[in-house]
Amino acid sequence: MSSQSPKSAVNDTFVYPEMFYIRGIYDMPFANCFYIFLIIVYIFTVIFNTFLIVLIYIEESLHNVKYIAVSHLAIADVCTTTAVIPKLTETFLFNSHFISYKACLADMFFVHFFSSMQSLSLAILAYDRFIAICFPLQYHNINTNSRMVIIILSVWLFSAVMISTTVLLITKLNFCQSTEVSSYFCDHGPVYRLACNDFYLNLVIGFADIALLLFAPLAFILISYGAIGFTLLKITTAQGRRKALKTCTSHIILVAMFYVPLAFTYVASQFANFHINTRILNNTLSATLPPMVNPIIYTLKTEEVMSSIKKLYKRRKDRQGRVINVTFLAK
C-alpha cells in the first residue's frame, strides 16, 4: 500500500506519517468469525478474572503472599486483553485499519507493556513457589505481603521504563515510504522496519525487551523449578513429594500455555519461513487465550480457591435462608 502524506515534525528533523495502516490477516476465510470469537474470549476473560480478584479480596483466608501474586496475574491478564481485543476487533471487524501516529505509539506501549507484565507475573509466582518449597520454615519471614507488593511495584516500574524507552526511540525514526504495518496492532518490529533512516538502536532495544521481559523471566522460572525438583528429591515420602508438587501444577500449566506459543514465534521462526497469517494468529491467540484460561486453572486446580468458593456459596445460601425465614415470620 502506498504511504500516507508525511508531515514534518515541529523541529523539521523527523518525518512522521499522519496515519499507519494495520494490515492484519491476509485474505483469511471467515476472518470475521475469528474476530467475533475474540470478543467472546474477552468477555469471559473479564468475567473470570474479575471473579477471581473479587474472591481473593473478600476471602480473608486468601489474604496471603501467594494470592497477592495470583491477583496480580489476573489484573495483568485483564489489562492485556483490554489492550489487544477491543482495538483489534474495531480495526478488522469494522474495517478501521488506519490509526494515527500518536495512537499507534500508545497502542504499541500498552500491548507490549501488559504482555511483559504477564511474563513477569509468572516469574513472581515461580519465586513464591521456590521459597515455599525450598525454604518452607523461613517462608513467612522471607516472603511477606509487604515484600511481595514491593516486588510487584518494582517489576511494573522496570517494565514501564523498558517499554517507554522502546516507544520513545520510534519517535527518532523517519517514515517516508510505506506505512503498512504487517501485524494485528502497532507492533514494534513491523513498525520500526518501515523507517527510512538507521534503526539499529530500535533493533537493539527490541532484542533487549525480548531478552529481559520474556526470556529472562522464563530462565528464572526454569531455574526455580530445577531447584524445586532437587528439593523434592530430598523428600523421603512419595506422598510428601506429590503434595509439594501439587502446589506447583497450576503454575506449570500457565507457564507452558504462555511460553510455548512465544517460543514458536521467536525461536521456530528463525529456522523456517512462516506465512504472515500464521505469525499473526499465533501471536493473537497467545495474547488472548491464556488470560481467559488462567483463572479457570487456578480455580479448578487449587484446593484453597475451591474451598473459598464453597464457603462463599454456603454463606450466601445461609443468608438467603435467613432472609426467607425472616420474611415468613413477618407475615
Side-chain angles (χ1 to χ4, degrees), residues 33-312:
C33 296
F34 175 68
Y35 304 134
I36 293 171
F37 166 74
L38 290 181
I39 294 174
I40 296 171
V41 167
Y42 177 64
I43 293 170
F44 280 110
T45 298
V46 172
I47 292 172
F48 293 157
N49 282 283
T50 301
F51 173 79
L52 184 59
I53 293 168
V54 171
L55 178 68
I56 292 171
Y57 178 77
I58 64 177
E59 279 298 317
E60 292 188 6
S61 61
L62 300 179
H63 291 182
N64 55 51
V65 176
K66 176 182 177 181
Y67 287 100
I68 290 175
V70 171
S71 60
H72 175 251
L73 175 63
I75 292 170
D77 285 341
V78 171
C79 291
T80 301
T81 51
T82 300
V84 172
I85 295 179
K87 183 60 182 175
L88 184 149
T89 52
E90 177 195 353
T91 299
F92 302 113
L93 197 59
F94 300 102
N95 293 318
S96 180
H97 291 261
F98 287 99
I99 183 171
S100 69
Y101 178 78
K102 290 183 179 179
C104 180
L105 296 183
D107 186 43
M108 182 186 300
F109 173 83
F110 286 113
V111 173
H112 286 304
F113 174 69
F114 289 123
S115 295
S116 69
M117 289 312 304
Q118 284 183 295
S119 175
L120 293 167
S121 297
L122 292 173
I124 291 172
L125 284 166
Y127 159 77
D128 175 74
R129 291 300 84 202
F130 167 73
I131 300 297
I133 294 176
C134 297
F135 304 97
L137 299 180
Q138 295 83 25
Y139 176 76
H140 294 292
N141 292 326
I142 297 173
N143 215 12
T144 63
N145 286 3
S146 58
R147 285 179 183 172
M148 178 57 72
V149 171
I150 291 171
I151 290 171
I152 290 171
L153 292 177
S154 298
V155 298
W156 275 72
L157 178 61
F158 174 70
S159 180
V161 170
M162 288 292 297
I163 302 301
S164 295
T165 304
T166 301
V167 174
L168 286 173
L169 284 175
I170 293 292
T171 64
K172 306 301 180 182
L173 298 176
N174 289 317
F175 296 91
C176 52
Q177 297 179 18
S178 174
T179 55
E180 181 178 292
V181 180
S182 297
S183 186
Y184 63 96
F185 73 105
C186 278
D187 200 350
H188 177 249
V191 170
Y192 79 69
R193 291 188 184 94
L194 297 174
C196 303
N197 56 332
D198 181 33
F199 51 71
Y200 178 74
L201 285 178
N202 304 87
L203 177 67
V204 170
I205 193 67
F207 276 113
D209 287 341
I210 294 170
L212 296 176
L213 299 176
L214 291 178
F215 289 110
L218 175 59
F220 176 80
I221 292 168
L222 294 177
I223 292 171
S224 298
Y225 274 105
I228 288 171
F230 183 74
T231 302
L232 291 178
L233 292 177
K234 294 181 180 180
I235 299 177
T236 55
T237 64
Q239 183 179 0
R241 287 194 294 271
R242 284 196 298 269
K243 184 177 179 181
L245 185 60
K246 188 177 179 181
T247 65
C248 301
T249 53
S250 298
H251 182 252
I252 293 171
I253 294 171
L254 303 189
V255 169
M257 288 179 56
F258 181 78
Y259 280 105
V260 169
L262 288 177
F264 175 83
T265 299
Y266 293 108
V267 179
S269 60
Q270 301 299 316
F271 302 97
N273 291 323
F274 296 103
H275 192 276
I276 185 65
N277 282 0
T278 303
R279 179 179 179 275
I280 291 175
L281 288 172
N282 179 68
N283 286 356
T284 305
L285 293 175
S286 65
T288 55
L289 286 184
M292 181 184 72
V293 179
N294 289 350
I296 300 174
I297 292 174
Y298 259 106
T299 300
L300 298 180
K301 299 286 291 182
T302 308
E303 187 175 328
E304 295 163 298
V305 176
M306 287 300 296
S307 175
S308 296
I309 292 174
K310 290 174 183 177
K311 286 192 294 184
L312 183 65

